Amino acid sequence: VSHWYFLRDKEEGKTSGWICGPLARSLGRVFRYHLGSIFFGSFIVAVVRFIRVVLMMIDRYTKKQQGSNFLLMLTIKCTQCCMWCLEKTIKFITNYCFIYIAMQGAGFCKACFLTFSLIVNNPAQLSINTFVRTILSWIQLLGLPIGCGWLANYVLIYREFPETIAPTVVCAISAYIIAKVFASVFACVLDTLFVCCCRDKADYKGKYM
């Protein structure tokens, strides 16, 4: 998406392999240059998740002690809440880090710094982008499975199938899984376009926008 945003005018008319070409090139760049950044970002998220799991285990095995010690219970609950917030924040920043890595070829730490700059310089636009992305994702995740399930049920009833509930449920679940995958790709596209627009505005005065 970032390649298309900045270079689409130069590649106009190159229709040959317009899907496989960019995907193959991007995959090649990932394996050649960016595996370390991906591993490092994933490792940070995994460490925070592991700490959360450990805290959950501690919480589970100290129920009796917490019942008699309010301070202990408060400490464990507050720590769990803080780690949950930290995990969500790291995931949010990591997603934008990966976009910067793909767009500029920066390392993970530099991409984190650029992400913080993006958040500080464009808080309102970032909030609107996140809100719109969330709304559109929920519309997809609710509308597509419900629509597919209703259509499947209608067709089964119309053709007088003896069993309609089970196939309808299977159809709705399958539609939800496909919609979930599509929504994640769609959200990544929206975020990438947002980051491209911000960089275009800051570095090129909106030349490509």
Side-chain angles (χ1 to χ4, degrees), residues 28 35 73 81 105 149 169 207:
L35 276 183
M73 181 185 71
C81 181
V169 171
K207 174 183 175 183

Side-chain angles (χ1 to χ4, degrees), residues 86-122:
L86 179 62
E87 182 183 7
K88 293 296 180 182
T89 304
I90 289 176
K91 283 183 176 180
F92 181 80
I93 292 174
T94 301
N95 287 337
Y96 282 99
C97 280
F98 289 152
I99 293 172
Y100 269 110
I101 290 169
M103 182 173 65
Q104 295 186 255
F108 184 82
C109 295
K110 184 179 179 181
C112 282
F113 176 77
L114 292 171
T115 300
F116 277 115
S117 300
L118 172 73
I119 294 172
V120 170
N121 295 329
N122 305 279

Side-chain angles (χ1 to χ4, degrees), residues 37-208:
S37 297
I38 291 174
F39 290 157
F40 187 62
S42 303
F43 175 73
I44 292 174
V45 175
V47 167
V48 175
R49 175 64 63 86
F50 176 74
I51 294 173
R52 282 193 63 203
V53 171
V54 171
L55 288 172
M56 289 170 62
M57 296 298 294
I58 293 173
D59 182 34
R60 180 179 175 183
Y61 288 110
T62 58
K63 288 292 185 184
K64 292 182 179 179
Q65 290 83 348
Q66 291 180 48
S68 59
N69 190 333
F70 176 76
L71 184 60
L72 176 63
M73 181 185 71
L74 185 64
T75 302
I76 291 176
K77 298 300 182 186
C78 288
T79 307
Q80 285 182 314
C81 181
C82 291
M83 292 306 299
W84 180 84
C85 293
L86 179 62
E87 182 183 7
K88 293 296 180 182
T89 304
I90 289 176
K91 283 183 176 180
F92 181 80
I93 292 174
T94 301
N95 287 337
Y96 282 99
C97 280
F98 289 152
I99 293 172
Y100 269 110
I101 290 169
M103 182 173 65
Q104 295 186 255
F108 184 82
C109 295
K110 184 179 179 181
C112 282
F113 176 77
L114 292 171
T115 300
F116 277 115
S117 300
L118 172 73
I119 294 172
V120 170
N121 295 329
N122 305 279
Q125 294 92 331
L126 184 63
S127 300
I128 293 171
N129 177 71
T130 304
F131 177 75
V132 170
R133 184 193 65 191
T134 303
I135 294 297
L136 291 175
S137 295
W138 276 109
I139 290 173
Q140 296 166 23
L141 293 176
L142 292 175
L144 291 174
I146 291 173
C148 290
W150 178 84
L151 183 62
N153 189 260
Y154 176 80
V155 170
L156 291 170
I157 292 175
Y158 179 76
R159 293 178 179 268
E160 298 180 351
F161 273 76
E163 174 60 39
T164 59
I165 299 299
T168 300
V169 171
V170 170
C171 180
I173 292 174
S174 302
Y176 177 81
I177 294 171
I178 294 171
K180 182 73 173 176
V181 174
F182 178 81
S184 66
V185 175
F186 186 69
C188 183
V189 170
L190 288 180
D191 288 341
T192 306
L193 285 174
F194 169 71
V195 172
C196 287
C197 288
C198 290
R199 186 191 176 197
D200 186 16
K201 183 179 177 183
D203 296 344
Y204 306 109
K205 308 302 180 185
K207 174 183 175 183
Y208 300 95

